[in-house]
């Protein structure tokens, strides 16, 4: 591959030097005020872009913090759910134990009443 360098008018024909300068001067007729305004506008745009990038970075940091907090809350919620399930099971076992104890007490009371009525613990009089 061959790469060609663009030649200026002076390099192509030395007699065009004056013409090239005239053309350049003719298109570079912007007054200095317009040029300064353009530079000012460009700097303002650059400053706005820098501010926007800074805000974007701050927003990203806040989002990272929110993601971490959300993950922590999710872990805490899972732990709370496990604990609540464990407490629920413990309460159910207590309830079942209490019911068993009440049934046993009722059976013992019935046996005692029958033993008093039937004349002894062997319940010979009721058979």
């Amino acid at each position: 591959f061959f790469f060609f360098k663009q030649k200026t008018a002076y390099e192509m024909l030395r007699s065009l030097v004056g013409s090239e300068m005239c053309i350049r001067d003719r298109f570079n007729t912007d007054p200095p005020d317009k040029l300064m305004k353009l530079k000012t506008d460009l700097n303002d745009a650059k400053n706005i872009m820098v501010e926007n990038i800074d805000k974007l970075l701050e927003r990203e940091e806040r989002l990272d913090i929110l993601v971490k907090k959300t993950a922590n809350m999710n872990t805490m919620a899972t732990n709370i759910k496990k604990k609540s399930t464990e407490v629920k099971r413990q309460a159910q076992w207590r309830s079942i134990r209490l019911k068993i104890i009440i049934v046993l007490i009722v059976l013992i009371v019935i046996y005692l009443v029958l033993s008093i009525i039937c004349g002894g613990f062997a319940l010979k009089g009721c058979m």
Side-chain angles (χ1 to χ4, degrees):
F1 293 100
F2 294 100
F3 296 100
F4 296 100
K5 179 182 167 191
Q6 186 176 1
K7 294 185 177 185
T8 63
Y10 179 73
E11 291 172 336
M12 290 172 37
L13 188 59
R14 299 204 190 280
S15 64
L16 294 176
V17 172
S19 300
E20 180 184 55
M21 289 181 183
C22 289
I23 292 170
R24 183 180 54 207
D25 290 343
R26 189 175 352 146
F27 287 108
N28 195 12
T29 58
D30 290 339
D33 293 339
K34 284 186 179 179
L35 188 59
M36 287 305 292
K37 184 181 182 318
L38 183 62
K39 284 182 181 180
T40 304
D41 290 345
L42 185 61
N43 281 334
D44 290 343
K46 184 183 97 174
N47 290 336
I48 290 171
M49 290 302 293
V50 168
E51 288 177 20
N52 288 340
I53 290 171
D54 288 341
K55 287 178 184 178
L56 184 65
L57 292 175
E58 289 174 11
R59 179 176 175 223
E60 183 179 356
E61 290 173 6
R62 288 193 309 262
L63 285 175
D64 286 342
I65 291 169
L66 285 175
V67 166
K68 287 177 185 176
K69 285 183 179 181
T70 303
N72 288 340
M73 289 177 68
N74 191 18
T75 303
M76 289 171 50
T78 303
N79 291 339
I80 289 171
K81 186 175 181 181
K82 287 179 183 177
K83 286 285 186 183
S84 67
T85 303
E86 184 180 322
V87 168
K88 181 180 175 183
R89 285 183 186 152
Q90 288 175 352
Q92 286 174 340
W93 278 112
R94 283 184 194 143
S95 175
I96 290 171
R97 277 189 249 147
L98 183 62
K99 289 176 184 176
I100 290 173
I101 291 172
I102 290 174
V103 168
L104 286 175
I105 290 174
V106 168
L107 288 176
I108 291 172
V109 168
I110 290 174
Y111 177 73
L112 289 175
V113 169
L114 284 176
S115 66
I116 291 173
I117 293 175
C118 294
F121 290 112
L123 302 176
K124 291 183 183 178
C126 291
M127 292 204 195

